[in-house]
Structures are given as structure tokens and as C-alpha cells.
Amino acid sequence: MVSTSVRSLENHSPAHICPFDQACSYLEWAGKELKLDQGLLEILSHPRKVVTVSIPVKLDDGEVRVLAGHRVQHSDVLGPYKGGIRYHPAVTLREVSALAMLMTWKCALVGIPYGGAKGGIPIDPKRYSVGELERISRRYISELIKDIGPAVDIPAPDMGTSAREMAWMMDTYSVNVGHAVPGVVTGKPLSIGGSRGREMATGRGVMIVVREALADQGKSLVGVRVVIQGFGNVGCAAAELLHQEGAKVIAVSTGAGGVFSQTGLDIPALKAYAANNHKSVAGFPQATPISNADLLTLPCDVLIPAALENQITEENVHQVKAQIVAEAANGPVTLEANLSLEARGVTVLPDILANAGGVVVSYLEWVQGLSYVFWDEERVNREMEHLMVQAYRQVVQQSKARQVTLRLAAYTLGVGRVAQALTDRGLYP
């Protein structure tokens, strides 16, 4: 088991924007606006703990393979660490560290008592059987068992993981401590303490902040043209909810490509098609094919990048024709591209606000698990909407008061709250 500084662990290609360097840039940007002490910034720029574990696993054919698993715990100043676990070939320690830092600001921004964490294993889950994935998940969480817990660090699903993996992880932890602990992870199946509304939570949060931003422009969702990059859990949920509210979703995409219809896509039909087409929308007969690159440049009212980071950069930002960009993914717009969009009058709803619905409902699930009192979906959605609207309004107010962009306003709120808590708690020893 290794614990060390992230900055010294991995080099990154100069052709690729490093997520951790970008996260640190956002921190420095907010720190300068807040006039934070340099010592505070130094503390906040380093994760508190970085753990890498070996995961030996026996594959179905008898081969033994050793995988690497990461867990980065950025800050627990406001409460237990919170963050997802992703299974994806592109997982790196720097990426996980960046996402852990962003989770810290996200939790502080929406007013829930968590710090940020993130975990991941660099694998393609499609290349493993269900039995192999179960063995990987159980061994990974057993290696981290001293570093997680309902009052310490609460993992959740992320890219490549789901309620299934969370069930295995909850069971592994519970067996090791000798009793059921529903609060050790969130995003679980309902049968073992999951929360109603969790599956649609992140997409619902995106819909809510888009709705609020449109309302500030004197518009409603009805008839608004929406483009969504990514049709996974978040993108699909956002598309479905926006469609239900009367928006016209004209294009969506997955890794294999996208589909476009000027008159609006039939989202229920597209969702059913993707479910029977290995989660891909490519080839949907009621639409025209379109590439992911072209999709980002379609004329529309709202563009929702809900896939991977660094999708809108200096290279393509001048081709973006949306009036609102809502970051459903983590870091899909680079800092330079964000500044360019804002200079053109485009409203950018930053990721730590726009995609916070998932962690809000994870928090609500954790609260239910600790109390062993479970709510109906209406209450979950109501509580989540209250926190999301409140956070959006605070960001807008901060933006106006400081005369800064929405992104910088969001970061000053998130970073400022953590910095204040750190100052109030003091430095030990």
C-alpha cells in the first residue's frame, strides 16, 4: 500500500490537458479572488491521503492478474469523504486526484457535510465477466477496508460501476465487520438500503439548473432545443426529464457516434433502442447519424456535455453555437474554453453545480441508511430540488456580487466554505 504526493507520481502527455493541473488552476483562481492565505491554498492543493492497492484476481480461465486500484481522499474538513468509484481504461491517479478535489468543492457548494474523494481501477469492465467483476470489486474494497466506513469515506457508483458493484462492496464490508452497514456506500439497490430517485438524480439535477438558468433569461423548457453528448446514466436521465418537460432534444451521442433530428428525437424510443443496442444510439432509424465532434457544434439553445472531460477546448470552442452549456460531466470544458464562451455571452453552468444532483441524493441515501428510515421518491426529489435550487441561486448571487463568471462564483463559494472551516478548526498539531 502506497501513500504519497500525487504531483510526483505520474507524468502526463503535453498533448493532453491534465485534469489534476486544471483542478489546481481552478483552486488558484478561486483563491486569488478570495485573497486566501498561501498556506491555506497549499493545504487545499494536496489530497490528505492517496492510496494505491494491488488487486490480485483469478480470471475465469484460471489466469491470475494483478490490477491497481486507487482511492484519493482530498479533504474531510466538512465531514466524511465522499466520491465515486470508476472502472475505465483511462483511469489514472492524477485523474482520480482531480475528481476528488472537485468533489470537495461540489459538496461544500451544495451545503452537504462531506469532503471529496474518488476511486478507480484502470480496466474496461466490458472485457470481464460478471464473476470476474465481482471478484475485482470485493478484493478492491477489502484492501481499502481500513480507509472507508459510514463515518470515514462513503464510495458510490461512477463511470463503469453501478448499484451492482455497490451491493458487492457493501456486502464485503459488512461481512468483515460482522453486521450489515447500509451507510458504507451509496447508490445501492433498494433491497439493501438504496434510495428511491438515485438512478435519475444527476440527470434531474442537470434539468433543474438548466430550467433555472432559462427562467433567469425569461424562458421555459418548452420548445428549447437541447443537444446532449453522452447517453449513459446521466445523459439519458437528463434527456428523458427534459423531454418530459417539453424540451426538444435534437441530438444525443455515445462513444460509437450520435444521432440528430431537427424536429426532435423520440427519447423514449431512443432509450429503448439503446437498451437493445449495447447502450449505443448509433443506427437509430428515426434520425440522421452525426459524429461526436459535429454534435458539439450544432446550433442549439442548450448543450449538455455528459461524457468525458476536455471535450470543449481552445480548438473547437469557437464552433460552439449553444447559448447555455451545462456541464453534466466532470471537466468537459477547459478553463480557457470557458473564458472564451463567457466572453461571447454564453452561460456556462459549471460541473460542480450542474452535476451535483447525484451527490445530493447520495447524501440523502446516507442519511436514510444511518437512521434506518427510508423515504418515498417524492420526498427525495423534493429535498434534492431544494438543495439544487438553493445552490444555483447562491452561485448567481455570488456572481453578481463579485462581478465574476458563474464558474468562478461556484468555486469561490465551494473553496471559501472549506477554507473557512479549515481556519476555524485550526492546524493540528
PDB file of all heavy atoms in Angstrom, residues 300-326:
ATOM      1  N   CYS A 300     -27.983  25.282 -31.161  1.00  0.00           N
ATOM      2  CA  CYS A 300     -28.969  24.843 -30.172  1.00  0.00           C
ATOM      3  C   CYS A 300     -29.062  25.880 -29.058  1.00  0.00           C
ATOM      4  O   CYS A 300     -28.242  26.805 -28.981  1.00  0.00           O
ATOM      5  CB  CYS A 300     -28.590  23.479 -29.582  1.00  0.00           C
ATOM      6  SG  CYS A 300     -27.003  23.461 -28.726  1.00  0.00           S
ATOM      7  N   ASP A 301     -30.054  25.725 -28.213  1.00  0.00           N
ATOM      8  CA  ASP A 301     -30.186  26.605 -27.053  1.00  0.00           C
ATOM      9  C   ASP A 301     -29.336  26.117 -25.887  1.00  0.00           C
ATOM     10  O   ASP A 301     -28.725  26.914 -25.173  1.00  0.00           O
ATOM     11  CB  ASP A 301     -31.656  26.690 -26.627  1.00  0.00           C
ATOM     12  CG  ASP A 301     -32.548  27.241 -27.723  1.00  0.00           C
ATOM     13  OD1 ASP A 301     -32.288  28.369 -28.163  1.00  0.00           O
ATOM     14  OD2 ASP A 301     -33.473  26.535 -28.153  1.00  0.00           O
ATOM     15  N   VAL A 302     -29.315  24.787 -25.678  1.00  0.00           N
ATOM     16  CA  VAL A 302     -28.621  24.204 -24.533  1.00  0.00           C
ATOM     17  C   VAL A 302     -27.757  23.036 -25.003  1.00  0.00           C
ATOM     18  O   VAL A 302     -28.248  22.126 -25.674  1.00  0.00           O
ATOM     19  CB  VAL A 302     -29.622  23.697 -23.460  1.00  0.00           C
ATOM     20  CG1 VAL A 302     -28.867  23.105 -22.271  1.00  0.00           C
ATOM     21  CG2 VAL A 302     -30.539  24.824 -23.006  1.00  0.00           C
ATOM     22  N   LEU A 303     -26.478  23.087 -24.655  1.00  0.00           N
ATOM     23  CA  LEU A 303     -25.555  21.988 -24.933  1.00  0.00           C
ATOM     24  C   LEU A 303     -25.164  21.354 -23.609  1.00  0.00           C
ATOM     25  O   LEU A 303     -24.725  22.051 -22.682  1.00  0.00           O
ATOM     26  CB  LEU A 303     -24.308  22.506 -25.647  1.00  0.00           C
ATOM     27  CG  LEU A 303     -23.160  21.505 -25.850  1.00  0.00           C
ATOM     28  CD1 LEU A 303     -23.605  20.321 -26.700  1.00  0.00           C
ATOM     29  CD2 LEU A 303     -21.953  22.212 -26.482  1.00  0.00           C
ATOM     30  N   ILE A 304     -25.329  20.032 -23.510  1.00  0.00           N
ATOM     31  CA  ILE A 304     -25.025  19.316 -22.265  1.00  0.00           C
ATOM     32  C   ILE A 304     -23.947  18.270 -22.532  1.00  0.00           C
ATOM     33  O   ILE A 304     -24.244  17.176 -23.010  1.00  0.00           O
ATOM     34  CB  ILE A 304     -26.297  18.639 -21.695  1.00  0.00           C
ATOM     35  CG1 ILE A 304     -27.391  19.680 -21.434  1.00  0.00           C
ATOM     36  CG2 ILE A 304     -25.959  17.892 -20.407  1.00  0.00           C
ATOM     37  CD1 ILE A 304     -28.710  19.080 -20.954  1.00  0.00           C
ATOM     38  N   PRO A 305     -22.680  18.583 -22.255  1.00  0.00           N
ATOM     39  CA  PRO A 305     -21.634  17.552 -22.346  1.00  0.00           C
ATOM     40  C   PRO A 305     -21.754  16.618 -21.140  1.00  0.00           C
ATOM     41  O   PRO A 305     -21.549  17.038 -20.003  1.00  0.00           O
ATOM     42  CB  PRO A 305     -20.322  18.355 -22.302  1.00  0.00           C
ATOM     43  CG  PRO A 305     -20.717  19.798 -22.388  1.00  0.00           C
ATOM     44  CD  PRO A 305     -22.115  19.889 -21.884  1.00  0.00           C
ATOM     45  N   ALA A 306     -22.121  15.365 -21.394  1.00  0.00           N
ATOM     46  CA  ALA A 306     -22.365  14.408 -20.311  1.00  0.00           C
ATOM     47  C   ALA A 306     -21.512  13.158 -20.494  1.00  0.00           C
ATOM     48  O   ALA A 306     -21.907  12.071 -20.090  1.00  0.00           O
ATOM     49  CB  ALA A 306     -23.848  14.031 -20.262  1.00  0.00           C
ATOM     50  N   ALA A 307     -20.330  13.337 -21.098  1.00  0.00           N
ATOM     51  CA  ALA A 307     -19.459  12.185 -21.351  1.00  0.00           C
ATOM     52  C   ALA A 307     -18.160  12.324 -20.557  1.00  0.00           C
ATOM     53  O   ALA A 307     -18.154  12.199 -19.333  1.00  0.00           O
ATOM     54  CB  ALA A 307     -19.191  12.065 -22.844  1.00  0.00           C
ATOM     55  N   LEU A 308     -17.066  12.634 -21.252  1.00  0.00           N
ATOM     56  CA  LEU A 308     -15.754  12.711 -20.619  1.00  0.00           C
ATOM     57  C   LEU A 308     -15.276  14.147 -20.496  1.00  0.00           C
ATOM     58  O   LEU A 308     -15.879  15.078 -21.031  1.00  0.00           O
ATOM     59  CB  LEU A 308     -14.741  11.890 -21.425  1.00  0.00           C
ATOM     60  CG  LEU A 308     -14.986  10.378 -21.468  1.00  0.00           C
ATOM     61  CD1 LEU A 308     -14.046   9.736 -22.486  1.00  0.00           C
ATOM     62  CD2 LEU A 308     -14.805   9.756 -20.096  1.00  0.00           C
ATOM     63  N   GLU A 309     -14.140  14.323 -19.789  1.00  0.00           N
ATOM     64  CA  GLU A 309     -13.563  15.645 -19.616  1.00  0.00           C
ATOM     65  C   GLU A 309     -12.911  16.138 -20.911  1.00  0.00           C
ATOM     66  O   GLU A 309     -12.680  15.381 -21.841  1.00  0.00           O
ATOM     67  CB  GLU A 309     -12.533  15.644 -18.474  1.00  0.00           C
ATOM     68  CG  GLU A 309     -11.294  14.812 -18.742  1.00  0.00           C
ATOM     69  CD  GLU A 309     -11.440  13.377 -18.294  1.00  0.00           C
ATOM     70  OE1 GLU A 309     -12.531  12.978 -17.857  1.00  0.00           O
ATOM     71  OE2 GLU A 309     -10.440  12.627 -18.401  1.00  0.00           O
ATOM     72  N   ASN A 310     -12.651  17.448 -20.960  1.00  0.00           N
ATOM     73  CA  ASN A 310     -11.888  18.085 -22.048  1.00  0.00           C
ATOM     74  C   ASN A 310     -12.506  17.869 -23.426  1.00  0.00           C
ATOM     75  O   ASN A 310     -11.810  17.565 -24.397  1.00  0.00           O
ATOM     76  CB  ASN A 310     -10.437  17.581 -22.039  1.00  0.00           C
ATOM     77  CG  ASN A 310      -9.726  17.859 -20.739  1.00  0.00           C
ATOM     78  OD1 ASN A 310      -9.985  18.859 -20.083  1.00  0.00           O
ATOM     79  ND2 ASN A 310      -8.838  16.962 -20.341  1.00  0.00           N
ATOM     80  N   GLN A 311     -13.815  18.050 -23.526  1.00  0.00           N
ATOM     81  CA  GLN A 311     -14.498  17.913 -24.810  1.00  0.00           C
ATOM     82  C   GLN A 311     -14.601  19.239 -25.554  1.00  0.00           C
ATOM     83  O   GLN A 311     -14.623  19.269 -26.781  1.00  0.00           O
ATOM     84  CB  GLN A 311     -15.903  17.334 -24.597  1.00  0.00           C
ATOM     85  CG  GLN A 311     -15.899  15.936 -24.001  1.00  0.00           C
ATOM     86  CD  GLN A 311     -15.152  14.944 -24.862  1.00  0.00           C
ATOM     87  OE1 GLN A 311     -15.533  14.682 -25.995  1.00  0.00           O
ATOM     88  NE2 GLN A 311     -14.060  14.410 -24.334  1.00  0.00           N
ATOM     89  N   ILE A 312     -14.676  20.327 -24.822  1.00  0.00           N
ATOM     90  CA  ILE A 312     -14.698  21.661 -25.431  1.00  0.00           C
ATOM     91  C   ILE A 312     -13.405  22.357 -25.004  1.00  0.00           C
ATOM     92  O   ILE A 312     -13.191  22.655 -23.826  1.00  0.00           O
ATOM     93  CB  ILE A 312     -15.934  22.464 -24.997  1.00  0.00           C
ATOM     94  CG1 ILE A 312     -17.214  21.733 -25.408  1.00  0.00           C
ATOM     95  CG2 ILE A 312     -15.915  23.867 -25.606  1.00  0.00           C
ATOM     96  CD1 ILE A 312     -18.491  22.396 -24.934  1.00  0.00           C
ATOM     97  N   THR A 313     -12.541  22.581 -25.980  1.00  0.00           N
ATOM     98  CA  THR A 313     -11.212  23.136 -25.723  1.00  0.00           C
ATOM     99  C   THR A 313     -11.000  24.376 -26.592  1.00  0.00           C
ATOM    100  O   THR A 313     -11.905  24.793 -27.339  1.00  0.00           O
ATOM    101  CB  THR A 313     -10.134  22.091 -26.046  1.00  0.00           C
ATOM    102  OG1 THR A 313     -10.127  21.856 -27.470  1.00  0.00           O
ATOM    103  CG2 THR A 313     -10.398  20.770 -25.316  1.00  0.00           C
ATOM    104  N   GLU A 314      -9.802  24.926 -26.538  1.00  0.00           N
ATOM    105  CA  GLU A 314      -9.479  26.086 -27.371  1.00  0.00           C
ATOM    106  C   GLU A 314      -9.608  25.758 -28.854  1.00  0.00           C
ATOM    107  O   GLU A 314      -9.840  26.643 -29.679  1.00  0.00           O
ATOM    108  CB  GLU A 314      -8.050  26.565 -27.095  1.00  0.00           C
ATOM    109  CG  GLU A 314      -7.781  26.925 -25.643  1.00  0.00           C
ATOM    110  CD  GLU A 314      -7.225  25.757 -24.850  1.00  0.00           C
ATOM    111  OE1 GLU A 314      -7.900  24.704 -24.779  1.00  0.00           O
ATOM    112  OE2 GLU A 314      -6.121  25.897 -24.305  1.00  0.00           O
ATOM    113  N   GLU A 315      -9.477  24.478 -29.201  1.00  0.00           N
ATOM    114  CA  GLU A 315      -9.505  24.079 -30.604  1.00  0.00           C
ATOM    115  C   GLU A 315     -10.908  24.123 -31.217  1.00  0.00           C
ATOM    116  O   GLU A 315     -11.055  24.393 -32.412  1.00  0.00           O
ATOM    117  CB  GLU A 315      -8.928  22.672 -30.750  1.00  0.00           C
ATOM    118  CG  GLU A 315      -7.445  22.583 -30.388  1.00  0.00           C
ATOM    119  CD  GLU A 315      -6.914  21.173 -30.509  1.00  0.00           C
ATOM    120  OE1 GLU A 315      -7.696  20.260 -30.875  1.00  0.00           O
ATOM    121  OE2 GLU A 315      -5.725  20.966 -30.225  1.00  0.00           O
ATOM    122  N   ASN A 316     -11.942  23.842 -30.418  1.00  0.00           N
ATOM    123  CA  ASN A 316     -13.292  23.797 -31.001  1.00  0.00           C
ATOM    124  C   ASN A 316     -14.273  24.775 -30.365  1.00  0.00           C
ATOM    125  O   ASN A 316     -15.429  24.838 -30.770  1.00  0.00           O
ATOM    126  CB  ASN A 316     -13.868  22.377 -30.924  1.00  0.00           C
ATOM    127  CG  ASN A 316     -14.061  21.885 -29.497  1.00  0.00           C
ATOM    128  OD1 ASN A 316     -13.708  22.558 -28.526  1.00  0.00           O
ATOM    129  ND2 ASN A 316     -14.627  20.687 -29.352  1.00  0.00           N
ATOM    130  N   VAL A 317     -13.837  25.530 -29.365  1.00  0.00           N
ATOM    131  CA  VAL A 317     -14.771  26.380 -28.623  1.00  0.00           C
ATOM    132  C   VAL A 317     -15.437  27.421 -29.526  1.00  0.00           C
ATOM    133  O   VAL A 317     -16.608  27.773 -29.321  1.00  0.00           O
ATOM    134  CB  VAL A 317     -14.074  27.061 -27.425  1.00  0.00           C
ATOM    135  CG1 VAL A 317     -12.992  28.043 -27.890  1.00  0.00           C
ATOM    136  CG2 VAL A 317     -15.091  27.770 -26.545  1.00  0.00           C
ATOM    137  N   HIS A 318     -14.723  27.906 -30.543  1.00  0.00           N
ATOM    138  CA  HIS A 318     -15.296  28.947 -31.400  1.00  0.00           C
ATOM    139  C   HIS A 318     -16.379  28.408 -32.328  1.00  0.00           C
ATOM    140  O   HIS A 318     -17.099  29.182 -32.965  1.00  0.00           O
ATOM    141  CB  HIS A 318     -14.180  29.621 -32.209  1.00  0.00           C
ATOM    142  CG  HIS A 318     -13.145  30.279 -31.351  1.00  0.00           C
ATOM    143  ND1 HIS A 318     -13.436  31.374 -30.559  1.00  0.00           N
ATOM    144  CD2 HIS A 318     -11.841  29.983 -31.128  1.00  0.00           C
ATOM    145  CE1 HIS A 318     -12.349  31.739 -29.899  1.00  0.00           C
ATOM    146  NE2 HIS A 318     -11.370  30.905 -30.213  1.00  0.00           N
ATOM    147  N   GLN A 319     -16.502  27.081 -32.382  1.00  0.00           N
ATOM    148  CA  GLN A 319     -17.548  26.461 -33.201  1.00  0.00           C
ATOM    149  C   GLN A 319     -18.805  26.150 -32.398  1.00  0.00           C
ATOM    150  O   GLN A 319     -19.826  25.774 -32.961  1.00  0.00           O
ATOM    151  CB  GLN A 319     -17.015  25.174 -33.830  1.00  0.00           C
ATOM    152  CG  GLN A 319     -15.835  25.375 -34.767  1.00  0.00           C
ATOM    153  CD  GLN A 319     -15.272  24.049 -35.223  1.00  0.00           C
ATOM    154  OE1 GLN A 319     -14.553  23.366 -34.500  1.00  0.00           O
ATOM    155  NE2 GLN A 319     -15.609  23.668 -36.445  1.00  0.00           N
ATOM    156  N   VAL A 320     -18.734  26.290 -31.076  1.00  0.00           N
ATOM    157  CA  VAL A 320     -19.896  26.010 -30.220  1.00  0.00           C
ATOM    158  C   VAL A 320     -20.927  27.108 -30.409  1.00  0.00           C
ATOM    159  O   VAL A 320     -20.628  28.297 -30.288  1.00  0.00           O
ATOM    160  CB  VAL A 320     -19.465  25.913 -28.742  1.00  0.00           C
ATOM    161  CG1 VAL A 320     -20.686  25.798 -27.833  1.00  0.00           C
ATOM    162  CG2 VAL A 320     -18.532  24.719 -28.545  1.00  0.00           C
ATOM    163  N   LYS A 321     -22.166  26.711 -30.706  1.00  0.00           N
ATOM    164  CA  LYS A 321     -23.224  27.686 -31.024  1.00  0.00           C
ATOM    165  C   LYS A 321     -24.338  27.707 -29.977  1.00  0.00           C
ATOM    166  O   LYS A 321     -25.360  28.357 -30.183  1.00  0.00           O
ATOM    167  CB  LYS A 321     -23.820  27.370 -32.401  1.00  0.00           C
ATOM    168  CG  LYS A 321     -22.783  27.401 -33.523  1.00  0.00           C
ATOM    169  CD  LYS A 321     -23.410  27.012 -34.846  1.00  0.00           C
ATOM    170  CE  LYS A 321     -22.380  26.990 -35.965  1.00  0.00           C
ATOM    171  NZ  LYS A 321     -21.411  25.873 -35.812  1.00  0.00           N
ATOM    172  N   ALA A 322     -24.175  27.012 -28.868  1.00  0.00           N
ATOM    173  CA  ALA A 322     -25.199  26.984 -27.814  1.00  0.00           C
ATOM    174  C   ALA A 322     -25.215  28.297 -27.045  1.00  0.00           C
ATOM    175  O   ALA A 322     -24.208  29.008 -26.963  1.00  0.00           O
ATOM    176  CB  ALA A 322     -24.934  25.826 -26.864  1.00  0.00           C
ATOM    177  N   GLN A 323     -26.358  28.602 -26.439  1.00  0.00           N
ATOM    178  CA  GLN A 323     -26.478  29.768 -25.569  1.00  0.00           C
ATOM    179  C   GLN A 323     -26.226  29.415 -24.105  1.00  0.00           C
ATOM    180  O   GLN A 323     -25.849  30.265 -23.303  1.00  0.00           O
ATOM    181  CB  GLN A 323     -27.873  30.382 -25.719  1.00  0.00           C
ATOM    182  CG  GLN A 323     -28.145  30.933 -27.107  1.00  0.00           C
ATOM    183  CD  GLN A 323     -27.102  31.950 -27.531  1.00  0.00           C
ATOM    184  OE1 GLN A 323     -26.859  32.951 -26.848  1.00  0.00           O
ATOM    185  NE2 GLN A 323     -26.459  31.696 -28.671  1.00  0.00           N
ATOM    186  N   ILE A 324     -26.466  28.150 -23.762  1.00  0.00           N
ATOM    187  CA  ILE A 324     -26.192  27.645 -22.416  1.00  0.00           C
ATOM    188  C   ILE A 324     -25.410  26.337 -22.559  1.00  0.00           C
ATOM    189  O   ILE A 324     -25.785  25.482 -23.353  1.00  0.00           O
ATOM    190  CB  ILE A 324     -27.489  27.385 -21.620  1.00  0.00           C
ATOM    191  CG1 ILE A 324     -28.230  28.694 -21.343  1.00  0.00           C
ATOM    192  CG2 ILE A 324     -27.196  26.656 -20.307  1.00  0.00           C
ATOM    193  CD1 ILE A 324     -29.588  28.497 -20.670  1.00  0.00           C
ATOM    194  N   VAL A 325     -24.334  26.204 -21.812  1.00  0.00           N
ATOM    195  CA  VAL A 325     -23.578  24.955 -21.743  1.00  0.00           C
ATOM    196  C   VAL A 325     -23.654  24.466 -20.300  1.00  0.00           C
ATOM    197  O   VAL A 325     -23.204  25.157 -19.379  1.00  0.00           O
ATOM    198  CB  VAL A 325     -22.107  25.128 -22.160  1.00  0.00           C
ATOM    199  CG1 VAL A 325     -21.335  23.818 -21.979  1.00  0.00           C
ATOM    200  CG2 VAL A 325     -22.013  25.607 -23.609  1.00  0.00           C
ATOM    201  N   ALA A 326     -24.248  23.286 -20.108  1.00  0.00           N
ATOM    202  CA  ALA A 326     -24.415  22.720 -18.770  1.00  0.00           C
ATOM    203  C   ALA A 326     -23.502  21.507 -18.640  1.00  0.00           C
ATOM    204  O   ALA A 326     -23.690  20.504 -19.326  1.00  0.00           O
ATOM    205  CB  ALA A 326     -25.867  22.320 -18.522  1.00  0.00           C
TER     206      ALA A 326
END
